[in-house]
Amino acid sequence: MESSLRNSLTTGQQPIGELGSARRRPLQPMARGRCLAVRAGSAERRARQGPRVVVRGRGAAAAGGAGRDGTGRSVMERGAEPGPELGAVLEAVEGRGGGGAEAVERVLAWYNEENRATFRFDPADEDKRKKLCEGILNILEKDTKTSCQVACLEALRILSRDKKVLVPVTTKRNMQILMKLAKLDTVEDPLERVSEFPVIVEALKCLCNIIFNSSVAQKLSLELNLAAMLCNLLQKCKDRQLVDDIKCFDLRLLFLLSLLHTDIRAQLRQELQGVQVLTQALESSLSVRWTEEYKAAEDRDRLPLSLQETDCAIEALKALFNVTLDSWNVHSKNESHQFRYMAAILRHCLLTTGPTEEKTEELHSNAINLLSNVPVSCLDVLINPSSQEETDIKYNGMNMGAIQILLDFMEKRIDKGSSYREGLTPVLSLLTECCRTHRNIRKFIKAQVLPPLRDVSNRPEVGTTVRNKLVRLMTHVDLGVKQIAAEFLFVLCKERVDSLLKYTGYGNAAGLLAARGLLAGGRGDHWYSDDEDTDTEEYKSAKPNINLITGHLEEPMPNPMDEMTEEQKEYEAMKLVNMFDKLSRDELIKPMGVRPDGTMAPLEEAVSQYHTSKQESSDSD
């Protein structure tokens, strides 16, 4: 799961800080359809307003339809006058062009506008861009006005998309300059001046890009104790208004540090109380109100989360996922309380919706990833005793609303038909562990996924029910996907082979049974309650005619050997033996048998062990 999150960072060319506004979906490249729509809108505006300057450079094609920058602001409409070249920008920043801070701000504003959507740069200008980075950092080190600082930081963010120019940037001095602008240099300084917020946000964006693109910066962040300062800034954002952007990029930077540097992950977990700090940030983003311990208030008329609240929650979930990667074993009462508290917030998160269906799915996906890290003994808080006035989904007096959302999410991911390993296996794994440990959850899910059989005229894999979809996955080409799908159904059947075969057929279940050594029947190692399944009358009447291999009802077929003489039968039998013998000698097939312990072995070995086992049993009698 960690690898899937790492892969999501490297999808596309945009650095992590560029996806970064709280008004843009994090860690995902812009959808192609949206780009085309914006280009069409830009063409209409140009037709009405007359000519605009053509964006130069390798990013010109992308910039023509970008529409918005990394902070979500609309691209400025310009007249036909062209902007300055890179050399002129460098002269102004180095102070050779005259005009002071106003000239620098004006020139950088032009540069930022023209390169807002540029992600590939001309290698011939690499030295100039390095010098431009140094000049910008020299300006930022001085006390200059806020608007000039913002322009400098925007330019540095654009330049930091290119890994090759980061050598002069990734020094201890320059990192400290950016940390100071991001309010990461002092513990006492509160977030009071709203006018400084744009500077803080842009400085955090620059740090995101730089740390993501530079291994040197990642090492420096540990030396400069950046994670501790980020946690402190996160505490300053608590209960503060107008700081959602700061909070979002603070969380994103913590996510990056915990992903790219294992020492920082350990530091967050052990020294900085990162689990508690990040859980509080998640709770604040979701505006959780508690009615009792481990139970949040459920407001049916509550409005969906805003885009900023959703983005902050997603960043907190991703950072928490990294910090809790090794949390399977809970050793103390305090840890158990912390994870139960987290699971209760995640339950509230599953019952919460975002501003769009896409954002809701992303929010729930990250919540499910994090739930997979929560010790299974703490997942009982996902179901709460249902009160009389609640009308949510109930089972045995328990509120199953969150479990139903997990089932709906699983089915939706199956219906997508792609990226099963990244999109489907986390929720299937989570549901499997919940069912294995918590009886009420297992019985509720089984009633939804494997209801009592009535119509067995079709194969188990044919149809549109959840059972049909899961059985189809049991023969999927991806080994990990088919294993977890089969394991989920096996656990729902209380790890009883006869029950699993009833719902799936022997052919679909053969892979799981062979891996578990259960081809001869029996049940798994885990203990379940002794309550028995009740077959329907329709199933009982059809059972004698069900093909055990395919798992569905078949009409009796005429036996072709009924009309054969004994000589013909013997001839056909020897013919079949000779065919198998030839295939075996040519090593095209290898006859296998089932050992007494249920595992597969070459036929000779299996027969030998079977006779030995039978003889030992006779001797003991």
Side-chain angles (χ1 to χ4, degrees):
M1 201 177 298
E2 182 186 7
S3 63
S4 66
L5 283 174
R6 183 183 292 273
N7 290 338
S8 71
L9 288 175
T10 56
T11 302
Q13 297 175 354
Q14 287 177 296
I16 191 75
E18 299 310 320
L19 311 170
S21 76
R23 286 167 286 278
R24 194 181 284 268
R25 181 179 181 182
L27 302 177
Q28 297 291 338
M30 182 185 292
R32 181 172 178 81
R34 183 179 171 192
C35 286
L36 295 175
V38 174
R39 290 180 186 219
S42 300
E44 291 178 6
R45 287 194 301 273
R46 286 196 296 272
R48 292 196 303 268
Q49 297 176 358
R52 292 176 55 196
V53 64
V54 177
V55 179
R56 299 186 306 278
R58 290 177 178 260
R68 291 181 179 273
D69 67 358
T71 61
R73 294 190 303 242
S74 297
V75 174
M76 182 176 63
E77 297 293 337
R78 302 191 300 274
E81 181 184 353
E85 298 292 341
L86 181 59
V89 175
L90 180 58
E91 286 183 5
V93 169
E94 291 179 341
R96 290 180 284 153
E102 291 77 10
V104 171
E105 182 181 345
R106 184 170 60 254
V107 167
L108 287 178
W110 274 105
Y111 180 81
N112 296 341
E113 192 62 35
E114 292 198 1
N115 293 279
R116 196 173 300 282
T118 302
F119 294 93
R120 292 184 180 180
F121 299 88
D122 187 354
D125 293 333
E126 184 177 316
D127 290 337
K128 289 182 180 180
R129 291 197 304 277
K130 286 181 178 179
K131 292 178 181 179
L132 183 57
C133 288
E134 293 176 343
I136 287 172
L137 286 164
N138 289 333
I139 293 174
L140 290 172
E141 191 175 21
K142 303 171 185 175
D143 187 14
T144 185
K145 63 179 183 177
T146 301
S147 59
C148 186
Q149 287 179 328
V150 171
C152 288
L153 288 167
E154 285 182 355
L156 186 61
R157 170 170 56 84
I158 291 169
L159 292 166
S160 64
R161 297 167 182 170
D162 184 5
K163 296 181 181 181
K164 296 179 181 179
V165 305
L166 290 181
V167 175
V169 178
T170 51
T171 64
K172 188 173 182 178
R173 165 187 169 268
N174 291 336
M175 290 285 287
Q176 287 174 329
I177 292 172
L178 293 174
M179 288 170 62
K180 181 178 180 181
L181 292 170
K183 298 297 181 184
L184 297 174
D185 65 327
T186 175
V187 177
E188 295 80 11
D189 191 11
L191 296 176
E192 292 181 348
R193 297 175 59 184
V194 178
S195 61
E196 293 180 344
F197 288 1
V199 176
I200 299 174
V201 171
E202 283 298 329
L204 288 171
K205 285 183 184 181
C206 288
L207 286 170
C208 283
N209 273 7
I210 292 166
I211 288 174
F212 178 63
N213 284 323
S214 171
S215 58
V216 176
Q218 293 163 23
K219 294 176 183 177
L220 280 173
S221 62
L222 182 62
E223 181 183 342
L224 295 171
N225 205 17
L226 181 57
M229 295 182 183
L230 285 167
C231 289
N232 181 60
L233 180 61
L234 204 56
Q235 295 282 22
K236 294 179 187 178
C237 294
K238 188 178 179 182
D239 301 324
R240 292 280 303 168
Q241 301 296 322
L242 306 174
V243 294
D244 283 343
D245 276 348
I246 297 175
K247 182 178 177 181
C248 186
F249 285 104
D250 186 305
L251 289 167
R252 178 165 299 172
L253 198 45
L254 281 171
F255 162 65
L256 278 174
L257 290 172
S258 59
L259 175 70
L260 300 171
H261 208 301
T262 54
D263 290 341
I264 292 179
R265 185 187 307 167
Q267 182 190 22
L268 279 167
R269 177 77 186 274
Q270 298 166 7
E271 300 175 18
L272 302 176
Q273 297 182 321
V275 175
Q276 181 178 349
V277 171
L278 291 168
T279 303
Q280 289 174 353
L282 176 62
E283 179 185 357
S284 173
S285 299
L286 297 172
S287 303
V288 180
R289 293 183 298 106
W290 300 100
T291 57
E292 55 186 85
E293 189 178 35
Y294 309 137
K295 186 174 181 179
E298 298 179 22
D299 186 359
R300 303 181 187 282
D301 300 324
R302 183 187 176 191
L303 295 174
L305 295 176
S306 69
L307 198 53
Q308 281 189 328
E309 289 171 334
T310 307
D311 283 338
C312 283
I314 289 171
E315 296 300 334
L317 289 168
K318 291 188 296 190
L320 272 169
F321 174 83
N322 289 341
V323 177
T324 58
L325 268 178
D326 306 316
S327 58
W328 290 100
N329 296 318
V330 174
H331 301 290
S332 68
K333 187 176 180 179
N334 183 55
E335 281 185 323
S336 177
H337 165 73
Q338 186 65 51
F339 280 111
R340 285 179 179 275
Y341 175 61
M342 183 192 300
I345 295 174
L346 293 174
R347 179 184 182 276
H348 179 80
C349 184
L350 290 173
L351 298 173
T352 301
T353 57
T356 63
E357 184 178 348
E358 183 183 9
K359 274 294 179 183
T360 300
E361 183 176 353
E362 186 181 359
L363 178 68
H364 289 175
S365 177
N366 283 283
I368 289 166
N369 288 342
L370 180 54
L371 277 170
S372 300
N373 286 351
V374 175
V376 69
S377 60
C378 301
L379 293 177
D380 58 327
V381 299
L382 291 177
I383 55 175
N384 289 321
S386 183
S387 58
Q388 293 292 332
E389 64 274 8
E390 287 179 341
T391 58
D392 277 340
I393 301 164
K394 303 177 185 178
Y395 186 84
N396 270 359
M398 308 298 287
N399 188 328
M400 294 287 178
I403 304 301
Q404 185 62 54
I405 287 174
L406 290 175
L407 281 173
D408 294 341
F409 183 91
M410 175 195 72
E411 186 172 9
K412 188 174 181 180
R413 286 296 171 94
I414 293 175
D415 291 342
K416 276 191 172 182
S418 61
S419 302
Y420 281 151
R421 181 174 286 274
E422 295 81 13
L424 179 61
T425 53
V427 66
L428 268 178
S429 177
L430 174 64
L431 288 172
T432 301
E433 292 305 318
C434 285
C435 292
R436 184 176 276 125
T437 308
H438 303 289
R439 180 171 177 263
N440 278 327
I441 294 178
R442 175 178 55 78
K443 295 187 74 173
F444 171 76
I445 292 178
K446 184 175 182 182
Q448 301 282 319
V449 177
L450 300 177
L453 287 175
R454 299 183 185 278
D455 181 11
V456 288
S457 59
N458 293 321
R459 291 173 178 258
E461 66 270 21
V462 176
T464 58
T465 66
V466 181
R467 174 176 78 103
N468 302 141
K469 297 171 183 178
L470 286 167
V471 172
R472 284 197 291 272
L473 289 178
M474 293 176 75
T475 54
H476 195 270
V477 294
D478 189 309
L479 182 62
V481 172
K482 74 176 184 180
Q483 283 179 339
I484 190 60
E487 184 78 10
F488 177 52
L489 292 174
F490 193 45
V491 169
L492 287 182
C493 295
K494 295 183 287 188
E495 299 190 21
R496 286 171 39 196
V497 173
D498 57 343
S499 180
L500 178 68
L501 297 181
K502 180 174 75 173
Y503 287 103
T504 68
Y506 196 92
N508 291 312
L512 171 75
L513 300 180
R516 288 289 201 104
L518 294 172
L519 285 170
R523 63 185 305 166
D525 300 328
H526 199 79
W527 181 88
Y528 296 89
S529 59
D530 294 329
D531 52 309
E532 295 293 330
D533 294 332
T534 303
D535 292 334
T536 62
E537 291 299 324
E538 295 90 335
Y539 181 78
K540 287 178 181 178
S541 62
K543 188 174 181 180
N545 296 320
I546 292 178
N547 185 321
L548 297 179
I549 302 299
T550 61
H552 81 298
L553 182 65
E554 289 184 349
E555 295 296 328
M557 300 291 290
N559 188 347
M561 300 184 68
D562 289 343
E563 299 180 358
M564 288 185 181
T565 64
E566 292 300 321
E567 292 78 6
Q568 287 175 320
K569 292 178 182 178
E570 185 177 353
Y571 171 78
E572 292 295 335
M574 291 307 300
K575 182 179 176 182
L576 186 61
V577 168
N578 290 332
M579 290 171 63
F580 274 112
D581 182 61
K582 185 176 186 307
L583 290 171
S584 178
R585 289 177 183 278
D586 294 342
E587 297 186 351
L588 295 174
I589 64 170
K590 190 172 188 179
M592 304 289 285
V594 181
R595 294 191 183 105
D597 62 359
T599 58
M600 299 287 290
L603 185 59
E604 298 83 359
E605 181 183 337
V607 171
S608 174
Q609 289 189 11
Y610 178 77
H611 286 310
T612 303
S613 175
K614 189 174 181 180
Q615 184 177 359
E616 289 175 354
S617 177
S618 300
D619 293 343
S620 63
D621 291 342

